[in-house]
Amino acid sequence: MKIDGDMLIGATRLHGAEGDIHAIDPRNGERLAPAYGGGGPDEVARACALAAAAFDAYRETSLAARAGFLETIAQNILDLGDDLIERASAETGLPRARIEGERGRTVGQLRLFAEEVRRGDWLGLRFDTPSPERRPAPRPDLRLRHIPLGPVAVFGASNFPLAFSAAGGDTAAALAAGCPVVVKAHSAHPGTSEMVGCAIRAAVAACGLPEGVFSLLFGAGSSMGTALVAHPAIKAVGFTGSRRAGVALMATAAARAEPIPVYAEMSSINPVFLLPVALAARAPAIAAGFVASLVLGAGQFCTNPGLVLAVGGPDLDRFLTEAAAAVAAAPATTMLTPAIHAAYDAGRLRLGAHAAVATLAEGRPAQGPFEGRPALFATDAAQFLADPVLQEETFGASSLVVRCPDVATLRAVAERLDGQLTATLQMDAGDLDDARALLPVLERRAGRILVNGYPTGVEVGHAMVHGGPFPATSDSRTTSVGTLAIRRFLRPVCYQDLPQALLPAALRDGNPLGLARSVDGVPIVAPAI
Ligand SMILES: NC(=O)c1ccc[n+]([C@@H]2O[C@H](COP(=O)([O-])OP(=O)(O)OC[C@H]3O[C@@H](n4cnc5c(N)ncnc54)[C@H](O)[C@@H]3O)[C@@H](O)[C@H]2O)c1
Ligand SMILES: O=CCCC(=O)C(=O)O
């Protein structure tokens, strides 16, 4: 597919005039054509106005039509074929197999949301039957459904050019909810974003939807993102990236005349707790699994296991010997962008130079310009608790092991951790009491708790939570992966004593759409139709 370097503003292509953006192939540092023209406030305003104009028509599309739209996007992405795989690989340095896997996840995610839309449970229909005879006051007829919030701004993430970008989880969830989407593409992969944007735009046209249902903007730095979040037509934000940018967007959203929710997924170091019985029984196997998760994708996963906690002693020493050997044998791997590589190297060197931190191992030296060396560090619980810097995310394949004198200290350290996306327990049956004592702490600290697995590789499903308390996310009540993500873009509306002719179809008598509902608090499953 030919790419032109244009923004997609509804059905119009437009080359921005606010400076050129070039993707860089991080495997060799070469600039990739074409140049992308960055947009400014006029393009933001145009995309937002189109999105606002599309909202009422799009939000009342039938569930079948909306599901069909999501499925058309999925098929159009697949139809991009090898061009998409090659461009995404060149723009990110991620290997072909990874990009193919991510495409499968992206398409599967859109299809899962299509099923979810058709099922309609997310409308959350509730009925309170009227009681005109009730005294002293009659009870009114109350009917509730959820409606979409309005146009959503989505920020593409550098580390998942497909699954968290133009047609990623935030876009899929917002479109499923009935919200038009304005994407601010990540400047690291503009060509991938243009290709996927074209696939979405073609689906908008093929499904006869208003053009403003989807737009794609380019812009380096912070001004485009700030203008987008500040625009009055935007009613919610989906973001994955750095804590600094996420917090800046939260501030922009909160300072608006009409503040809006920001769903930002930011930083997490994903603690892994090695409980004593498991460590004694299988230190080498745990070390192998841990290092495989640590180095996956050059460590550029928000689920990367950046912190390990265990009780010191010979079993931990065995784990450290094995893990250090595996890290030392691991190659340096190309990182996503020169800036992300520079930030990783600076973080790794800062940790290595920290007076309270020992370097246990570094991976093989870099061969290419932007390769990051994996690294394993160690400290003890007292030092870890004394310096909050040691809790900061080093985005890449770096992890810090914290030696604790006993299990009580392990729990005390867990209590002091920042909010996390995940917390992992390596445990055997003999660790059950310790695990039980840790669980309430982990529930308060993390969005997902795993046993005997590793946190990288998020399953896209109905029960997934990819979220957690700040700074993992800006709003711990939800998730950015899985079908529950649709709730971020909905709000309830109650209809009191409306005549049948005025009610939305989902709320009319006789259940014409055949949807699940609750009546006077009692759930009624959807009839088979
Ligand atoms: N935890 C994660 O999942 C994750 C993912 C990617 C990056 N990161 C971290 O972010 C660092 C930078 O990488 P990145 O470029 O992908 O992320 P970033 O947060 O710097 O940028 C993400 C997006 O936000 C925009 N942006 C940046 N600052 C902004 C601001 N102040 N106001 C408005 N918009 C702003 C950027 O233009 C980009 O589109 C990495 O080194 C890493 O530390 C974390
Ligand atoms: O980088 C953030 C998402 C991580 C993820 O989706 C995964 O681990 O699969």
Side-chain angles (χ1 to χ4, degrees):
M1 179 192 165
K2 185 172 169 296
I3 46 177
D4 294 329
D6 294 338
M7 287 178 285
L8 308 175
I9 301 185
T12 305
R13 281 183 164 276
L14 210 147
H15 201 86
E18 310 266 331
D20 280 355
I21 297 164
H22 278 274
I24 291 181
D25 184 336
R27 296 169 298 193
N28 51 29
E30 280 174 18
R31 268 182 167 199
L32 297 170
Y36 280 78
D42 290 350
E43 288 77 28
V44 169
R46 213 160 140 186
C48 291
L50 281 175
F55 179 46
D56 273 340
Y58 181 57
R59 76 187 178 91
E60 290 302 355
T61 46
S62 71
L63 299 184
R66 207 182 299 165
F69 171 49
L70 295 172
E71 287 163 345
T72 306
I73 298 173
Q75 189 55 49
N76 288 355
I77 290 173
L78 287 176
D79 290 347
L80 291 168
D82 226 39
D83 287 358
L84 178 66
I85 304 294
E86 274 173 16
R87 180 73 192 193
S89 198
E91 288 186 331
T92 60
L94 294 169
R96 220 191 133 80
R98 150 70 194 266
I99 299 289
E100 283 171 347
E102 202 183 316
R103 177 179 61 182
R105 174 169 164 175
T106 307
V107 165
Q109 188 159 260
L110 286 158
R111 291 177 173 158
L112 187 72
F113 272 108
E115 283 170 25
E116 183 73 3
V117 167
R118 274 198 192 91
R119 202 175 303 117
D121 297 5
W122 53 275
L123 287 164
L125 306 178
R126 293 167 170 234
F127 294 70
D128 285 340
T129 48
S131 175
E133 296 80 29
R134 192 181 72 172
R135 295 291 174 268
R139 184 163 91 152
D141 178 314
L142 301 179
R143 302 178 188 221
L144 177 155
R145 72 166 178 165
H146 285 80
I147 69 160
L149 289 179
V152 173
V154 170
F155 287 74
S158 57
N159 57 339
F160 277 78
L162 299 173
F164 283 78
S165 288
D170 286 335
T171 297
L175 292 177
C179 300
V181 169
V182 181
V183 170
K184 191 248 181 243
H186 199 288
S187 302
H189 53 256
T192 307
S193 304
E194 184 186 345
M195 285 183 183
V196 172
C198 287
I200 302 175
R201 206 166 75 134
V204 170
C207 297
L209 297 172
E211 58 169 324
V213 165
F214 179 80
S215 290
L216 176 74
L217 301 172
F218 296 104
S222 61
S223 53
M224 158 76 73
T226 306
L228 184 58
V229 172
H231 195 282
I234 295 297
K235 301 300 179 197
V237 180
F239 169 90
T240 300
S242 67
R243 179 168 171 175
R244 188 195 314 203
V247 167
L249 295 176
M250 288 163 69
T252 301
R256 292 169 38 130
E258 180 199 5
I260 53 169
V262 175
Y263 300 106
E265 193 245 275
M266 297 171 288
S267 76
S268 178
I269 53 174
N270 305 298
V272 178
F273 296 83
L274 312 181
L275 297 189
V277 178
L279 197 55
R282 48 191 177 87
I286 295 174
F290 158 70
V291 175
S293 177
L294 176 68
V295 302
L296 191 70
Q300 300 165 119
F301 280 58
C302 45
T303 46
N304 184 59
L307 185 70
V308 177
L309 299 115
V311 176
D315 297 327
L316 178 59
D317 292 344
R318 266 191 319 132
F319 167 86
L320 293 176
T321 304
E322 297 282 342
V327 166
T333 311
T334 300
M335 299 194 75
L336 293 159
T337 67
I340 287 176
H341 170 258
Y344 173 69
D345 257 6
R348 181 174 62 87
L349 295 175
R350 204 176 314 120
L351 260 182
H354 194 291
V357 172
T359 302
L360 298 182
E362 287 190 312
R364 300 209 302 269
Q367 307 288 319
F370 306 115
E371 290 183 0
R373 285 176 89 174
L376 187 63
F377 300 100
T379 189
D380 65 35
Q383 303 278 9
F384 180 75
L385 291 178
D387 188 352
V389 163
L390 296 180
Q391 279 210 48
E392 284 176 10
E393 180 185 49
T394 303
F395 189 68
S398 155
S399 193
L400 176 65
V401 180
V402 178
R403 272 196 195 85
C404 299
D406 48 36
V407 174
T409 308
L410 201 73
R411 218 168 41 238
V413 174
E415 281 286 8
R416 300 268 300 275
L417 291 178
D418 288 339
Q420 305 291 337
L421 293 171
T422 71
T424 300
L425 295 173
Q426 288 293 332
M427 61 172 285
D428 284 355
D431 292 310
L432 200 55
D433 287 345
D434 288 336
R436 199 175 277 126
L438 257 176
L439 193 60
V441 185
L442 303 187
E443 286 170 337
R444 278 189 270 109
R445 287 279 161 272
R448 177 165 60 111
I449 299 163
L450 302 82
V451 167
N452 293 342
Y454 294 93
T456 44
V458 176
E459 183 69 28
V460 181
H462 301 293
M464 176 47 67
V465 174
H466 188 62
F470 185 87
T473 77
S474 54
D475 188 335
S476 64
R477 292 168 294 181
T478 181
T479 172
S480 67
V481 175
T483 53
L484 197 67
I486 195 173
R487 289 207 193 158
R488 297 175 299 168
F489 304 121
L490 297 169
R491 69 180 177 85
V493 175
C494 172
Y495 302 83
Q496 181 168 336
D497 289 331
L498 266 65
Q500 288 293 310
L502 194 56
L503 278 168
L507 291 174
R508 286 193 198 135
D509 288 351
N511 197 2
L513 303 186
L515 296 168
R517 42 180 55 191
S518 92
V519 177
D520 296 329
V522 179
I524 315 260
V525 290
I529 48 170

